[in-house]
Amino acid sequence: MADWVVFGGFSAGALAGLAASYGRLCTMTAIENALVGRDYRGLKAWGLALATAISITQMLLHFEAIDLRNAVYASPRVHLLGAAMGGLLFGLGMTLVGTCSFGLLVRTGSGDIRAATSSIIMGILAMSATAGSLSHARNALLQFGQVDLTSAGGASIAKLVEHHTQANSSIVVGLLVLPLILLAVT
């Protein structure tokens, strides 16, 4: 099982790196082109990538090839303040650096020293916020604006669908995502 996880992670990372390098798949550029230049190709590419990832994940869940019960993203608690602050800091950092953290890794792989320096600083700060000197402040802030969605079925779309429809959530969510794929490629 671990061999498949390593192989799958490596393959997904290589495909994502190729898409970002040669397909110019960049979050900031997609948003900027859509807002300023009315060019929606980048957003459509992100929509296609997102819909594909959701569909494949739901298929793997349906066939029990993966177990996401203990995944951080499957937690029934949503941290609204953390999401708002994280989104604001991410957007600010993205505009200051000129790309997102994924773009930094792609640029680092291309030999950009400034991107490598920014990636190292970003990594140190991320480790400090999750397990280092900034973790206490982060954990204290996470107590504010916390919403528990256990009674609604959980925070994931699949769990919400399953709770309210009693249907197999992976099939329902997969069918809901298919129109997104079609919308993204048109």
Side-chain angles (χ1 to χ4, degrees):
M1 180 66 171
D3 293 337
W4 283 106
V5 172
V6 171
F7 177 74
F10 179 77
S11 298
L15 285 172
L18 285 170
S21 291
Y22 298 108
R24 305 177 113 186
L25 187 63
C26 175
T27 307
M28 186 171 150
T29 302
I31 294 169
E32 187 177 34
N33 287 348
L35 293 176
V36 176
R38 305 282 186 238
D39 180 5
Y40 299 99
R41 290 179 294 176
L43 286 181
K44 287 181 178 185
W46 270 111
L48 178 61
L50 179 64
T52 303
I54 291 171
S55 297
I56 291 171
T57 302
Q58 294 306 312
M59 181 185 67
L60 292 171
L61 279 171
H62 177 71
F63 291 111
E64 297 178 355
I66 58 172
D67 181 16
L68 298 178
R69 285 183 297 216
N70 295 326
V72 173
Y73 302 107
S75 171
R77 286 179 286 151
V78 177
H79 305 282
L80 297 177
L81 180 64
M85 286 181 63
L88 182 67
L89 289 172
F90 180 80
L92 179 65
M94 190 166 59
T95 54
L96 289 174
V97 175
T99 188
C100 63
S101 52
F102 178 67
L104 278 177
L105 294 176
V106 171
R107 288 182 183 180
T108 300
S110 300
D112 187 339
I113 298 297
R114 292 177 298 166
T117 305
S118 296
S119 295
I120 291 169
I121 292 170
M122 180 191 63
I124 290 170
L125 287 173
M127 287 300 295
S128 177
T130 55
S133 59
L134 296 176
S135 65
H136 300 295
R138 181 183 136 268
N139 289 333
L141 285 173
L142 284 178
Q143 301 307 315
F144 299 104
Q146 189 178 117
V147 178
D148 190 356
L149 297 173
T150 304
S151 62
S156 73
I157 294 171
K159 291 295 181 190
L160 289 170
V161 167
E162 190 172 305
H163 179 75
H164 294 291
T165 65
Q166 304 302 318
N168 186 330
S169 62
S170 59
I171 293 173
V172 174
V173 171
L175 290 174
L176 291 174
V177 169
L178 284 176
L180 289 176
I181 294 173
L182 294 174
L183 186 64
V185 296
T186 58

